[in-house]
Amino acid sequence: QVGQVFLYFQWDSLLLEAGFLAVLVAPLRLLRAGSPAWRPHDAVTFWAVRWLLFRLMFASGVVKLTSRCPTWWGLTALTYHYESQCIPTPGAWLAHQLPVWLHKLSVVATYVIEVAVPPLFFAPLRRLRLFAFYCQVLLQVLIILTGNYNFFNALTIVLSFSLLDEEHVGRWLGRPRKRHGTAPSLSPAWPPSLGSVLGTLLELSTYGLLLYWTVQYFGLELNWDKRLLDSKVAFTYHEFTTWLRTVTLPLVGVAFLSLSWEILVAMYRCACVRGCFWKLWATLQWAIMATATVGLFAVSLVPFTYIEHESNGKLWPGIHQMFGAVERFQLVNSYGLFRRMTGVGGRPEVILEGSYDRHSWTEIEFMYKPGNVSVAPAVVAPHQPRLDWQLWFAALGPHQSSPWFSALVLRLLQGQPDVLRLVQTDQSRYPFRDRPPTFLRAQLYKYWFTAPGEGSPGPAPWWRRQRVQEFFPTVSLGDPTLESLLSQHGLK
């Protein structure tokens, strides 16, 4: 709350919520200091992490369509995303060069991973949950390679570990697979049991349905003449909102059944604990953790159902009251990343310029955001340079929409060291290191990634740009325009 717009991103809320869940998940061994870290109720608290991951991914996929953004509906969002995102990486330049049909197919894959796959988080078959895990990790790794999104993608991968089990992690660590406490299994049992056959059929049917629905609802069609895969959204906005209204509460029901199963299994495990005292101690921990998890699940239904207004209104009023009581702590939050695509006509970028005589102007280069067209995009994750990020948001509207910008101009004119370090930690790269500029102004440019081989002799440019208009007027210390803006925004 203290950081205001600089610390008010969805991943900051996600970090708060995941941090609170870590309190429930982390081992608490008040007794038996040498006992194993595993406890009977661990599956219940880990389920809360899985539910958080589901809300994050499912909502992020849904809002892309409910926002009615033409680029998401036209499957062209990624043709703009790589160059228009806050702080791209060199990998974004490479991804931007891919053909349009592959960009559109990537959007289709994003919808599948964010909308169709998350319900598999609660599948009774572990192989379906493992499939969902690797889908989520693949998406996050690709985002890491093409964009600087601080700790968000790493945190999402950590949340995805709630889909794994000890046996699968054991394979990563090279542990032999054991069955029912016997020696390591060298070959699968034959003939397979009825349960194994039914499980395999269910798994194959799920993959088949995913593929069929993807082809059906995104019009996938091979174009042999052009050697590409055509795709288009084959449903309407009304059809999608009707589907969303139909599935939102049933998905809540599926999640509740999954949680109930985990709670019952954990209760059975408590009953299997040896020793009367330890059995009671395990049951007491189970009761506390199960109550906390059910309570968190209940209050999280309010922000989750923000994606569908009618479903939100059908929730029991008591749940709304519970959410209102804890809302200020941000224990549960609503999510929905990349709702709308910006920079369709070119990436807007604010360029600050300083001068001593108001005639000769020098650009002020920031460490991470685009400026010099010949400088490669930065790789800065998991750090998030908050000032560079906010300058991206400032470029989307007039400077009056970003009151802090007037304060930034004031501090640069004053040469305040703390603010200068946000611009450049290396003083030799700051053009006004000897004394602050007398005048400052800001220009609005449009930036585009270059194509391979584009540019003039010399260092190959990563960007091309075009000036659009003045963003912030020329001011100096004591200037009436600057003084008026500072007073207007309460920054005097």
Side-chain angles (χ1 to χ4, degrees):
Q1 302 301 328
V2 173
Q4 301 175 35
V5 294
F6 290 89
L7 285 167
Y8 204 67
F9 296 97
Q10 291 192 47
W11 35 79
D12 296 317
S13 299
L14 180 68
L15 186 62
L16 284 176
E17 187 167 349
F20 182 76
L21 289 181
V23 175
L24 303 180
V25 172
L28 177 63
R29 288 173 284 175
L30 300 179
L31 305 172
R32 266 192 189 178
S35 64
W38 178 86
R39 301 151 306 168
H41 63 266
D42 277 339
V44 178
T45 51
F46 244 70
W47 184 94
V49 180
R50 194 186 310 171
W51 171 241
L52 170 58
L53 177 68
F54 172 80
R55 289 189 289 117
L56 171 67
M57 301 310 302
F58 187 76
S60 295
V62 164
V63 298
K64 292 176 174 60
L65 293 169
T66 57
S67 68
R68 292 191 175 186
C69 177
T71 64
W72 284 116
W73 277 91
L75 303 182
T76 58
L78 292 184
T79 61
Y80 308 104
H81 165 73
Y82 295 117
E83 71 178 5
S84 67
Q85 61 185 315
C86 288
I87 304 179
T89 66
W93 184 90
L94 293 172
H96 183 74
Q97 314 304 326
L98 296 174
V100 174
W101 71 268
L102 192 54
H103 283 154
K104 297 175 72 173
L105 192 62
S106 299
V107 176
V108 173
T110 301
Y111 283 138
V112 172
I113 293 175
E114 292 187 346
V115 178
V117 171
L120 298 182
F121 296 173
F122 309 112
L125 296 179
R126 66 183 293 270
R127 284 183 297 190
L128 288 177
R129 297 195 298 273
L130 294 177
F131 168 75
F133 167 80
Y134 284 108
C135 285
Q136 303 308 315
V137 171
L138 173 64
L139 177 62
Q140 299 308 318
V141 169
L142 291 175
I143 295 175
I144 290 172
L145 293 175
T146 57
N148 288 287
Y149 291 96
N150 58 74
F151 57 82
F152 162 63
N153 306 110
L155 178 56
T156 305
I157 292 175
V158 169
L159 297 178
S160 300
F161 273 71
S162 61
L163 301 171
L164 299 179
D165 53 37
E166 187 176 359
E167 179 183 343
H168 193 74
V169 176
R171 291 187 183 183
W172 293 352
L173 302 176
R175 296 173 186 167
R177 182 182 178 184
K178 295 185 178 182
R179 298 176 62 88
H180 309 297
T182 61
S185 176
L186 300 178
S187 61
W190 189 263
S193 64
L194 178 61
S196 176
V197 172
L198 292 177
T200 302
L201 289 176
L202 178 59
E203 183 183 3
L204 294 176
S205 299
T206 302
Y207 299 147
L209 285 174
L210 274 176
L211 181 60
Y212 171 77
W213 286 335
T214 302
V215 173
Q216 186 77 11
Y217 290 110
F218 291 100
L220 297 185
E221 185 178 354
L222 278 171
N223 189 325
W224 295 105
D225 295 332
K226 298 181 179 180
R227 295 184 179 179
L228 52 81
L229 188 60
D230 286 323
S231 55
K232 63 180 180 180
V233 174
F235 52 88
T236 65
Y237 177 79
H238 174 72
E239 289 172 337
F240 177 75
T241 53
T242 301
W243 172 84
L244 185 61
R245 189 181 310 118
T246 304
V247 304
T248 300
L249 290 181
L251 283 173
V252 171
V254 168
F256 178 73
L257 290 176
S258 176
L259 174 58
S260 301
W261 173 256
E262 297 291 357
I263 290 175
L264 291 174
V265 170
M267 183 174 65
Y268 170 75
R269 288 172 176 165
C270 290
C272 296
V273 172
R274 294 181 179 179
C276 183
F277 173 79
W278 297 115
K279 193 187 302 289
L280 290 174
W281 177 237
T283 304
L284 176 61
Q285 293 182 78
W286 164 84
I288 294 173
M289 294 301 184
T291 302
T293 304
V294 171
L296 280 174
F297 171 70
V299 296
S300 71
L301 296 181
V302 175
F304 170 65
T305 52
Y306 286 161
I307 60 175
E308 208 290 297
H309 180 72
E310 287 190 19
S311 299
N312 184 268
K314 291 179 181 178
L315 294 177
W316 178 50
I319 292 180
H320 284 278
Q321 294 174 1
M322 292 168 59
F323 175 72
V326 300
E327 183 178 9
R328 64 194 179 101
F329 300 114
Q330 292 185 253
L331 301 183
V332 291
N333 304 278
S334 61
Y335 300 99
L337 297 162
F338 304 107
R339 186 184 302 266
R340 299 190 66 88
M341 194 55 57
T342 59
V344 173
R347 171 198 183 91
E349 199 67 62
V350 173
I351 301 298
L352 274 161
E353 298 175 337
S355 173
Y356 293 119
D357 56 11
R358 206 167 183 165
H359 296 292
S360 177
W361 294 90
T362 304
E363 291 188 13
I364 296 176
E365 287 287 328
F366 284 73
M367 288 182 285
Y368 308 113
K369 81 177 195 70
N372 187 337
V373 295
S374 298
V375 174
V379 177
V380 63
H383 172 57
Q384 181 181 357
R386 305 280 175 161
L387 178 57
D388 295 62
W389 269 74
Q390 284 306 132
L391 282 167
W392 180 87
F393 282 103
L396 300 178
H399 69 83
Q400 292 88 347
S401 301
S402 304
W404 56 267
F405 192 85
S406 299
L408 172 64
V409 169
L410 172 67
R411 298 310 183 198
L412 292 179
L413 288 170
Q414 294 173 338
Q416 189 179 76
D418 290 340
V419 176
L420 297 185
R421 280 194 293 270
L422 295 177
V423 178
Q424 284 288 350
T425 53
D426 183 0
Q427 291 188 0
S428 65
R429 299 186 61 184
Y430 185 68
F432 303 100
R433 57 187 176 275
D434 296 328
R435 65 186 178 98
T438 307
F439 302 96
L440 269 180
R441 71 182 184 185
Q443 307 287 351
L444 184 66
Y445 281 81
K446 287 289 184 71
Y447 276 65
W448 298 268
F449 271 142
T450 57
E454 181 180 340
S456 55
W462 291 81
W463 301 93
R464 58 184 177 88
R465 72 180 189 178
Q466 179 181 345
R467 184 185 178 278
V468 179
Q469 63 187 24
E470 182 182 72
F471 179 80
F472 195 88
T474 302
V475 296
S476 59
L477 286 177
D479 188 283
T481 301
L482 180 58
E483 293 295 313
S484 173
L485 286 169
L486 294 172
S487 299
Q488 177 184 342
H489 300 313
L491 298 171
K492 284 287 290 180

